[in-house]
Amino acid sequence: MYRVLIPVDGNEERALAQADHAVALTESAAEAEVTVLYVVPPDSLQTDEGVDFSDMDSAVAAAEYLETNGVSVERRVEGGETIAREIIDVADDIAADELVMGGRKRSGVARLLIGSVVNDVFVSTDRPVTMTGTEMSIHRGTRRLLLPVDSNADRVHHQVEYVTSLPAAPDDVEATVLYVFPEQDYKGAPAHEFDDVDAAVEAADALEDHGIDTERVAVGGGVTETIVEEAETRDATGIVMGGRKRSGVQKVLLGSIVQDVMLSADRPVTLT
């Protein structure tokens, strides 16, 4: 059973984008269930007991879209001290394999931002979290995934674990493991050898061991720009990042490259 959690707010367009991704994600699953969750904001005058799922148009639209596409749906309304904490608690309660968030927002100067709830969920759960957007196309069929890796073996392990656990794996998953040598795209730059990066080789070998068709790519350039360009060139259905980092006080942080890719890519980005 592949279990997906979709926490929605009041924006129906975002909720439908999340639901569309969940349909694509689970279409190869023998068994799958998607939980559509609405969390009553703690500053609301209402409580979760006073809000019915059917009152939330965005939640109803997502649930009905999923069911129309043959996906089993659980409907939930919850309340808690914070929205992010309640989302994480529900994810733990249902043992979610993945959370699908609709988190891109625009500021007053039209700059894309990651909403605070989405950011808090990203850094507070160890489960894979995918961010979708209302202006991206969701592809069905074969999952063509781009895995940008760094030299951290632990992060690479989580990226590989996510890809190999997908319902479509291994037959309907194709992967590209990408290592970007930062800013090394100038004339006379050193040769870019994939085999020189142990973590990248480990990722590609592990994916191939699971029967996943894997391409190995090493290039030089600006890291964020190159990741986005490579995703576009390969028509990737998603980008799988391994970007959780810890500060000196063990606070989980999002790496700057991860944030930049999330805000720049026009396709779903998954943080493992």
Side-chain angles (χ1 to χ4, degrees):
M1 173 76 77
Y2 197 82
R3 295 179 174 86
V4 180
L5 176 62
I6 297 181
V8 301
D9 57 14
N11 186 298
E12 186 171 325
E13 192 177 6
R14 273 200 298 269
L16 287 172
Q18 292 167 262
D20 198 20
H21 178 72
V23 171
L25 190 65
T26 60
E27 64 181 347
S28 299
E31 291 185 280
E33 182 174 77
V34 176
T35 298
V36 179
L37 169 69
Y38 177 75
V39 179
V40 179
D43 57 356
S44 172
L45 296 177
Q46 296 177 301
T47 65
D48 52 308
E49 289 85 1
V51 176
D52 191 81
F53 189 94
S54 62
D55 296 331
M56 299 307 305
D57 292 343
S58 57
V60 171
E64 290 181 347
Y65 181 84
L66 288 159
E67 289 174 335
T68 298
N69 283 274
V71 180
S72 175
V73 177
E74 179 191 19
R75 294 163 163 81
R76 289 183 68 159
V77 175
E78 302 289 348
E81 292 184 7
T82 70
I83 295 176
R85 183 69 259 167
E86 194 62 33
I87 290 171
I88 294 163
D89 286 347
V90 172
D92 292 342
D93 181 52
I94 68 171
D97 294 289
E98 183 167 345
L99 290 76
V100 179
M101 307 289 294
R104 288 190 177 108
K105 299 181 179 180
R106 292 186 180 274
S107 71
V109 292
R111 179 173 176 266
L112 280 169
L113 302 171
I114 298 177
S116 60
V117 170
V118 176
N119 186 77
D120 288 348
V121 170
F122 272 128
V123 301
S124 301
T125 181
D126 292 329
R127 301 178 188 277
V129 183
T130 298
M131 187 168 74
T132 61
T134 59
E135 299 175 2
M136 64 177 61
S137 298
I138 305 297
H139 298 273
R140 306 285 175 88
T142 299
R143 313 294 297 163
R144 296 181 301 277
L145 300 175
L146 180 69
L147 283 73
V149 300
D150 59 15
S151 58
N152 186 292
D154 287 339
R155 284 197 287 272
V156 165
H157 171 76
H158 288 301
Q159 289 170 275
V160 170
E161 185 176 49
Y162 168 75
V163 173
T164 56
S165 70
L166 287 171
D171 296 339
D172 292 321
V173 174
E174 298 172 0
T176 299
V177 178
L178 170 68
Y179 184 84
V180 182
F181 290 86
E183 308 303 335
Q184 291 188 18
D185 54 350
Y186 54 88
K187 186 177 181 180
H192 306 128
E193 298 294 339
F194 187 94
D195 289 345
D196 291 341
V197 185
D198 291 342
V201 173
E202 178 183 333
D205 286 349
L207 290 165
E208 290 173 344
D209 287 346
H210 281 84
I212 294 174
D213 186 17
T214 303
E215 181 181 11
R216 304 172 184 225
V217 178
V219 294
V223 178
T224 298
E225 297 85 351
T226 302
I227 290 170
V228 173
E229 289 169 4
E230 291 291 332
E232 292 174 353
T233 297
R234 287 165 171 74
D235 193 24
T237 59
I239 302 172
V240 181
M241 305 289 294
R244 292 185 177 100
K245 298 181 178 181
R246 293 187 179 272
S247 71
V249 292
Q250 292 299 295
K251 180 182 178 182
V252 181
L253 305 171
L254 286 184
S256 60
I257 297 298
V258 173
Q259 294 187 64
D260 289 346
V261 171
M262 285 180 172
L263 298 176
S264 303
D266 59 355
R267 61 207 69 226
V269 178
T270 301
L271 179 63
T272 61

